[in-house]
Structure formats: C-alpha cells, structure tokens
Amino acid sequence: ATVSVLNWRTNRHRKSRMATARALARAPPKFVMENMNPHVVAAEYAVRGPIVLRSMEMKADMKKNPEKYPFSKIVACNIGNPQELLQKPITFNRQVAALVACPWLMDAKEVLVDGQHICNDVVDRAHYILDRIGHQHKTGAYTESQGYLWARESIADAIQRRDGGVPCCPTDLFLTDGASPGIKAILNAIVCGPSDAVMLPIPQYPLYSASLTLLNGQVAPYYLDESQGWGLTIDELEASYAKSVAAGANVKAMVVINPGNPTGQVMSEQEVRDVCEFAARHGLLVLADEVYQENVYDERLQFTSFKKVCASEFPEVSLVSFHSISKGVMGECGKRGGYMELCNVPKDVKDLILKMVSINLCSNVSGQILTELMMNPPREGQTSHAAWKAEYDGLKESLARRAKSLVAGVNDIPGIQTNGIQGSMYAFPSLDLPAKYVAEAETQGKAPDAVWSMGLLEEAGILVVPGSGFGQKEGTHHFRTTILPPEEEMDDVVDGMRQYQTRLLEKYQ
C-alpha cells in the first residue's frame, strides 16, 4: 500500500511538471481576429447584416416575452426567400423530386392508388430521371462535375426554345448550387490582383461587391438612373469605364442584373444589344445575372436573354449567364439549384472553369433535378399540365398584384417614393429624411437609411435592407423591400411603414 501511495505521488508530481513545461512552451493562439484575412474582415453583405442579426435576437426574445413588442411577428422583407413567407412549392416539382429521392414510394399502393394521389405523368417523369441516372440507388452519388449530362441536355433544349432557336450546347452548361457559386467561381477566375476591376451597377446585389473585396479586386461602379426607372445609359458606362481606367484599374468584366435587383427594372432588347456593343468595344466579359427572368409583371415588357443577342450578333463578346431555382415562381431557395452558361468562351478558358468546379466535385443532386424540372415543366396534353399551370399562373399573378399594391401603398407615405416594379421581387424606395435625423445618424457614424431600417424593425417588426448596403448616389437614402409577404398581409406591412414614418416625421419636423 505504501509503495502504491509513493507511486501515485510520483506520477502526480511528474504530470504537474509536464503540464507546467507545456504551458511555458505554448505559443499564442493563431486563430484570433488580428490574424484573420483582412479581405474577409472588410467584406460586407447587407442582406444578412446587423439588422438581420438584431431580428434574430428579437425573435428569440419574443418567444419569452411576447407582451414586450407592439407586433406579433417579424415580417422578413429583407431577402428574396419566398417559402420563408409561406409561398407554396409547385406540386409537380416536389412530387417528382420526392419519388426520385424515395423510388420505393412508387411501389406503395396507398401512395399511387389509381393515380388519385399522384398523376401518372409524375411517376413517368420520376422513372425517366431514374433511368438516366442509371439506378435508383445512385441518386446520392456524385455526378459529373458540370452536373448530370442528361439534365444539361434537357436544360439546353429549354434554353434554345426560350431564345427562339439560338443553339445551346450542353457542354457549355454548368449546374450549380444556386447562382451564387457560379458567380463567385467566375470572379475567382478573372480577378488576379488589386488592380483588376469589374463594373457593377449601382445599386447592386452585394454578393458582387463582397466577392470582389474577398478577392482583393476593385469595383468599377456605373450608376443606374433612378429618374428614368433605374435605366442604364451607354454614356454612364463609358464614363465609368474611363474613370476606372484613368485611376489605373484593369477593367476585365461587367455585371448586368436583368430584371434588376434591387431596382426591379426590365431591360429592353435594344438595351441588351447596347451593352453587348459596349463590351465588344472594350473587350469585356459580360456576367448576366438573369435569375429573375420569369418575374416580369409589366405586360408591355418581356425578358430578353443576353445569350440570345450575344450568340447571334456578337461572337467576339464572351458571356456567362446565370439562372436559379431560388427565384422565378419556384422560390426553392434552400434547395440550391441553378446553372451558368458559357457563350463565346475559348476552350482553354472553359477547361479552366471545369477544373475549378471539379475541386468541389459537383453540385447537389436535388438541386440539379429541380433545375431540370424548372426548365422543362409539364407540357400541354400531359396529365399534370393543367394543375401545374394553375399553380404557376396563380403564383405569378399574385406576385404581380403584390408588386402593384406595394408600389401604390409606399408612394402614399410621406417622404417615401418608389419607381414601379417591372420585374424581380423588390422595390427600392427613396427616403426623404429630415436634415436633423440625417445629421444625428452621421454623428453616430451610421448610414441614415441603416438607422431608419433598424427603427422600422424595432418599432414595426418589418425587416428590410438599407439602401446603403447596395450602393447609391451620394446624398440619397433608400431601402430594399420584397413583394413576398402574403397578399392578405401586404396592407399591414405598408401600414406599418406608414405609421413608423409618420412618427419619425412628427418627431423631427
């Protein structure tokens, strides 16, 4: 027993000495803020910035202290996320996707009795997809790095129909986890250093500016004309290009968002052509963000793809266009599906892009399948077509009504004014704020529209994004709001904005 006690004490002292030695030899931790990549620190993404974080704190607090707030819930108008606001998914797409993911359901009598629960063409489409995948157990396997070839062939056919017969090659398509990874991959490929610049529309979707900050590249801003419905002019493009080049930038590409985010305008075919001519003059790559191509509400307008114009009229202009299942009418944001199409891109560059995407192996299978379903819905004469069309048309018509209702309501609020929403899912109203309010915000080192947006959240429970997060002309203030709250709630959203703005004006004027 005495020996055991001595051994225990000896071991204890030995371990203590070893711990002391380790502590003395220990280096300071490296994973601390001062060691982080400064470009990551500098990057900003307003759509999910401080105001969103505050909304999350409030949601958690509301569950514990509901009586503390003058509203029963927070309405998320900050991001184009339709199903967060309870938009119903398209039945056909979800049923096909479910059967592909769980093929044994097609053998369950209670699921498919006499086709009463699921139409026969849903089952046929699921079998079609499974046949091309090769086996029902392979739906969780990696695909080709560009995505399933059968899906790209189907999507290419749909793009060709959309563009009036302009050819589309499946080898030019890359299926992606939404549009964002494709955009970031292209920017990553072209930005080589701090002098490289990309022309961005202002206001712009902050994915672009944040990505360029991460890559240590430059933004070459060109301003959309709010007084002309957020129109784009060639004079502004030329002036922006010349200013950036004079400052030493190597301008390599330009981004066009059509229909516009956050501004809601739809470009005419001539405007698309003008941009292609500008790009040809300066040898620029065009990045066409076309994720809202199905969201055109003005009956006088129609979507024209850059691919249609570029491929047929400007063979010297390289183009990468992007589409997604997150927007349009599907609104399947969390499913993460989409594609990018390369047009007039040299083979060696295309091979480089393939190498880049191969590092991530492939995009997710469910997103690939839903992308194919988005581009090739049930056709007239098929069993599911009538129900699919009723759902699709119903959702699109509802979005159009909500767009009209939001514009009319917002324009009736003192100090707030917005252009009409021709397309996409957003309005970008201007704020005429009292001088004293602006001065107070600036004294605090804050953007006035960010202070306004935080107040709207805390006093009315409405979550929007300040215009300063998208870029705007100096001296102006805006906010972005979606048209996605349910129709029956839109009047309440507008009324909440009106009451908040009225209190603010009464206080400061």
Side-chain angles (χ1 to χ4, degrees):
T2 302
V3 172
S4 297
V5 170
L6 289 173
N7 288 341
W8 176 80
R9 288 176 177 172
T10 300
N11 290 335
R12 185 182 66 174
H13 291 313
R14 184 183 296 115
K15 290 178 181 178
S16 177
R17 288 195 301 271
M18 291 173 63
T20 301
R22 283 197 301 269
L24 291 173
R26 207 168 274 162
K30 301 293 195 301
F31 196 59
V32 292
M33 196 63 183
E34 55 266 30
N35 287 336
M36 293 298 101
N37 184 330
H39 308 306
V40 176
V41 176
E44 295 183 354
Y45 186 62
V47 174
R48 294 211 170 176
I51 298 174
V52 175
L53 296 177
R54 174 62 181 140
S55 75
M56 294 168 65
E57 292 174 356
M58 290 171 61
K59 283 182 181 179
D61 189 42
M62 287 174 72
K63 292 179 180 179
K64 301 174 184 177
N65 306 292
E67 72 287 343
K68 181 178 173 181
Y69 299 88
F71 41 84
S72 60
K73 66 177 181 178
I74 292 173
V75 183
C77 299
N78 64 307
I79 192 168
N81 192 14
Q83 291 179 26
E84 171 67 20
L85 291 161
L86 307 184
Q87 176 175 303
K88 182 179 180 293
I90 299 290
T91 303
F92 178 83
N93 297 339
R94 283 296 187 91
Q95 289 181 337
V96 173
L99 294 183
V100 171
C102 302
W104 49 88
L105 291 177
M106 288 184 278
D107 298 323
K109 296 292 185 182
E110 62 272 21
V111 175
L112 300 174
V113 174
D114 299 325
Q116 292 179 17
H117 300 288
I118 295 180
C119 292
N120 293 331
D121 61 335
V122 172
V123 178
D124 292 342
R125 187 67 169 269
H127 279 303
Y128 169 88
I129 292 172
L130 289 168
D131 287 346
R132 273 140 191 82
I133 290 174
H135 194 282
Q136 67 177 21
H137 293 164
K138 291 176 66 176
T139 56
Y142 292 132
T143 72
E144 300 97 318
S145 293
Q146 285 183 247
Y148 285 129
L149 176 59
W150 66 266
R152 287 184 282 125
E153 290 172 341
S154 176
I155 293 167
D157 288 343
I159 293 172
Q160 189 164 319
R161 291 194 301 271
R162 179 199 68 187
D163 292 338
V166 176
C168 178
C169 181
T171 59
D172 292 334
L173 292 172
F174 293 73
L175 302 188
T176 55
D177 290 323
S180 297
I183 292 166
K184 289 187 284 188
I186 299 301
L187 292 176
N188 198 34
I190 65 173
V191 176
C192 305
S195 65
D196 288 346
V198 176
M199 297 181 69
L200 300 185
I202 302 297
Q204 53 97 28
Y205 181 51
L207 164 70
Y208 294 97
S209 55
S211 297
L212 288 171
T213 299
L214 290 172
L215 295 167
N216 196 24
Q218 292 187 36
V219 172
Y222 66 90
Y223 287 85
L224 304 178
D225 189 344
E226 186 171 11
S227 68
Q228 299 298 317
W230 297 111
L232 177 156
T233 67
I234 298 304
D235 287 346
E236 171 62 21
L237 290 180
E238 293 288 3
S240 169
Y241 180 84
K243 183 178 180 180
S244 294
V245 171
N250 177 21
V251 182
K252 288 186 169 182
M254 69 174 297
V255 171
V256 185
I257 307 175
N258 179 42
N261 175 14
T263 44
Q265 83 284 5
V266 177
M267 296 175 67
S268 68
E269 184 168 334
Q270 186 57 50
E271 288 175 315
V272 172
R273 187 172 291 110
D274 290 344
V275 168
C276 291
E277 289 179 350
F278 169 78
R281 279 196 298 276
H282 299 290
L284 300 179
L285 165 68
V286 176
L287 277 68
D289 184 335
E290 298 175 337
V291 301
Y292 299 99
Q293 60 187 259
E294 295 180 59
N295 301 103
V296 177
Y297 311 121
D298 189 327
E299 294 180 354
R300 299 166 297 176
L301 303 172
Q302 63 180 10
F303 170 77
T304 300
S305 76
F306 270 82
K307 161 66 184 303
K308 178 181 179 181
V309 175
C310 196
S312 55
E313 300 179 36
F314 297 91
E316 72 275 32
V317 174
S318 293
L319 165 74
V320 185
S321 53
F322 307 91
H323 195 15
S324 170
I325 65 173
S326 299
K327 313 304 179 185
V329 176
M330 282 183 68
E332 296 278 17
C333 299
K335 299 296 184 182
R336 310 311 297 140
Y339 69 79
M340 62 178 176
E341 181 185 7
L342 278 56
C343 175
N344 299 335
V345 172
K347 184 180 183 305
D348 55 352
V349 175
K350 190 191 302 184
D351 291 343
L352 179 70
I353 301 303
L354 177 57
K355 181 178 75 172
M356 286 184 61
V357 301
S358 297
I359 295 171
N360 292 325
L361 297 176
C362 69
S363 60
N364 81 88
V365 168
S366 297
Q368 292 187 38
I369 291 169
L370 285 168
T371 303
E372 192 273 335
L373 292 169
M374 172 184 70
M375 298 299 290
N376 283 290
R379 298 190 182 183
E380 193 169 354
Q382 295 181 325
T383 312
S384 294
H385 179 264
W388 170 86
K389 191 174 189 311
E391 286 185 47
Y392 183 95
D393 290 349
L395 285 169
K396 189 171 182 180
E397 290 165 5
S398 174
L399 287 168
R401 289 192 297 269
R402 282 178 271 175
K404 187 175 181 180
S405 173
L406 179 67
V407 169
V410 165
N411 283 338
D412 194 42
I413 302 174
I416 304 181
Q417 191 70 28
T418 186
N419 285 314
I421 302 172
Q422 297 175 338
S424 79
M425 295 178 171
Y426 313 102
F428 198 64
S430 63
L431 292 167
D432 184 9
L433 298 171
K436 183 180 178 182
Y437 184 90
V438 172
E440 283 185 7
E442 291 175 344
T443 299
Q444 299 170 30
K446 298 178 180 178
D449 51 22
V451 176
W452 187 93
S453 299
M454 184 68 81
L456 181 67
L457 169 65
E458 295 184 332
E459 294 187 30
I462 300 169
L463 177 59
V464 298
V465 187
S468 49
F470 297 88
Q472 54 196 351
K473 285 189 175 180
E474 188 173 352
T476 66
H477 314 291
H478 298 80
F479 68 96
R480 188 188 79 166
T481 181
T482 72
I483 61 172
L484 296 177
E487 283 192 76
E488 63 272 16
E489 296 181 13
M490 188 62 76
D491 287 345
D492 291 337
V493 170
V494 172
D495 191 53
M497 293 179 181
R498 179 183 293 107
Q499 292 183 35
Y500 168 67
Q501 175 75 350
T502 300
R503 289 192 300 269
L504 185 151
L505 295 178
E506 288 175 350
K507 179 179 178 180
Y508 285 89
Q509 293 182 343

